[in-house]
Amino acid sequence: MTLPITLFLIAVVVPVFFGRIRTAPAWLLVQAVALGWAGFVQHPQLSGHAVAALAEVIVVRALVAPWLLGRAIRARGEPDLDLMPSNLFAWAVAIALIVLAFQFGAPAADDRHAMTLGAVAATVAVALLLLSTNAASPAQLVALLTMENALGLFETLLPEPWPLPVHAALGLIYFGTVGVGAWLIGTPDEARVAPLPPEGERA
């Protein structure tokens, strides 16, 4: 269980420190692969429920979401934006939040739960920091999707997976988030604002 959680955490932390907007879809793909891996390790019996949950991760989070996000970023034409401002203050805050997040998981009963809780808390903290430091809409969408992936990682702590309707709802929320967000990012601002009528026709 340690390896998929480590991979997930790498896919969350590394792009925030060193990544640009254009690399975000690839990192979301890695997060989804780590989620699927962690779910398989937690429930290796591959029941119908587990297969359905794994299919949601692969189809929605690993394939559809990165594709939609990548297409929207290319349409927007700002692929070289940093995910988080490259300055020492932002980096110091991010490192401090990650350290505090793992302290949150320290009281857990065993090492696996402690590491998973720490990874979930660190992911949420990093996503909130990204939301507060980068006003660019692609970065905001990446932060929201990363936070939703943290919710999926939290499920691996449960002895039994969530019911299928919950999985379906989470999958729809994730798909809706990336679908609407990608549309807003890829559509020029003037196309979303109704033009004013000519001055002579105004009431």
Side-chain angles (χ1 to χ4, degrees):
M1 193 68 177
T2 301
L3 288 177
I5 295 173
T6 302
L7 179 63
F8 183 89
L9 196 58
I10 289 172
V12 169
V13 173
V14 171
V16 169
F17 284 97
F18 306 108
R20 298 187 183 276
I21 292 293
R22 67 173 179 269
T23 66
W27 289 111
L28 285 175
L29 170 61
V30 176
Q31 290 178 25
V33 169
L35 274 180
W37 186 5
F40 176 74
V41 171
Q42 179 73 359
H43 305 288
Q45 65 273 16
L46 283 184
S47 62
H49 189 158
V51 169
L54 186 60
E56 182 268 324
V57 171
I58 293 173
V59 173
V60 177
R61 299 176 191 246
L63 297 178
V64 176
W67 176 70
L68 287 175
L69 179 61
R71 190 176 68 168
I73 290 172
R74 289 190 296 272
R76 190 175 182 85
E78 298 175 325
D80 291 324
L81 289 175
D82 291 328
L83 273 176
M84 191 174 72
S86 297
N87 60 67
L88 290 177
F89 177 76
W91 284 19
V93 172
I95 292 171
L97 287 175
I98 292 170
V99 172
L100 288 174
F102 274 92
Q103 291 299 316
F104 171 78
D110 56 55
D111 291 341
R112 181 181 70 83
H113 282 75
M115 185 171 184
T116 305
L117 277 175
V120 170
T123 301
V124 173
V126 168
L128 290 174
L129 179 63
L130 184 55
L131 284 171
S132 64
T133 57
N134 195 336
S137 51
Q140 298 268 304
L141 179 57
V142 170
L144 289 176
L145 296 177
T146 299
M147 200 176 300
E148 291 187 25
N149 283 338
L151 183 61
L153 183 63
F154 179 78
E155 184 190 4
T156 63
L157 289 170
L158 305 177
E160 294 294 333
W162 284 323
L164 279 177
V166 176
H167 275 294
L170 291 176
L172 286 174
I173 291 171
Y174 196 92
F175 180 78
T177 301
V178 71
V180 174
W183 175 76
L184 291 173
I185 291 169
T187 304
D189 292 341
E190 58 270 16
R192 298 196 302 268
V193 179
L196 291 173
E199 187 173 350
E201 298 180 9
R202 297 180 191 174

